[in-house]
Amino acid sequence: MTQTKSSNALTVREKDLIKREFNSGGYVLDFSNSTFAQFTFDSVGISIQDEYGLSKGASLECFFDHADNKSCAKLLGDLIQKRRDMELFDDSSIDLKEQKRLDECQKIVERLSSLPEIMTPHKAIVEKSDFNTDYINQQITQIYESIEDNPTDAIGKGKELLESCAKSILKERKIEYSSNMDFTELMKCVFKELHLTRDCVPDDKKASQTIKNTLSGISTIVSGVNDLRNSYGSGHGKEKDYAGLSRRHARLVVGLSTSATIFLWDTHKANMSAENHLR
């Protein structure tokens, strides 16, 4: 990858501090590839490992080399909070030396946040990579390409794309939801918002029963994708005798999850367009 001049005000010392705290031989905290992709997308609007095509740790370093001040501050702040949450919920203790490093990282966040915002080439990439049809298509291509080498990870990424779609729909519609909401509750909220439940189909509508059955089938598929991902996908601890699904199973699960993603996103956009037309 071609290295370019830094687009932010991070010093060499600050970058080294971030590297020592968050890049452990290519690993970042307790993230898997799929959870790291979700975390960085939620934080700064892109999956940085997909953006740079390196290990999680190396991709993180590239991001802090090239991203703008605001994006660096946002991701670094979220990483600091994630590390502190690990101590609270996962019994992953923070010693005095690490506490000092985290405090220093927090000062970096505060310094970068106080600087004036400057439009940079990377910022344009972040804005362009917001969740949209192009992003969906890009992710689907990458997920299918990963099936041959890692069907387990492909299953995880398929489910994560569906979850990202659901969250993006609710955000665009300004529907508040709890960050602690599990996948099933999240999808129920989206289906209700998009009028994709059985109760939303009038009994006197032509082929109403068929439509109701189809909507129920879609809901069942979405639930099944989540269950399979939890059992066979990436992102969860596995027993030592764990065996993942084959490539053909991964293709099926990925096909279901990506088809559901496209359907939900297209329905959301169609509904929004219709609502705007009536205003």
Side-chain angles (χ1 to χ4, degrees), residues 216-232:
S216 294
I218 296 172
S219 179
T220 300
I221 287 172
V222 168
S223 178
V225 166
N226 182 51
D227 292 342
L228 282 170
R229 184 267 183 176
N230 289 341
S231 298
Y232 294 100

Side-chain angles (χ1 to χ4, degrees), residues 85-143:
D85 288 344
M86 287 172 61
E87 181 182 40
L88 290 175
F89 301 112
D90 301 332
D91 195 28
S92 179
S93 61
I94 298 175
D95 60 26
L96 290 177
K97 288 185 178 180
E98 185 175 11
Q99 181 62 59
K100 184 176 180 180
R101 292 197 301 270
L102 289 174
D103 290 342
E104 288 296 315
C105 286
Q106 186 60 47
K107 291 179 182 179
I108 296 173
V109 172
E110 294 168 0
R111 185 179 74 81
L112 293 178
S113 299
S114 69
L115 297 175
E117 184 177 353
I118 301 175
M119 180 64 75
T120 67
H122 189 90
K123 183 173 180 58
I125 292 175
V126 171
E127 292 181 342
K128 185 177 180 180
S129 296
D130 286 342
F131 202 96
N132 53 38
T133 300
D134 288 340
Y135 177 82
I136 292 173
N137 292 334
Q138 177 191 42
Q139 292 302 302
I140 289 175
T141 298
Q142 293 177 2
I143 293 170

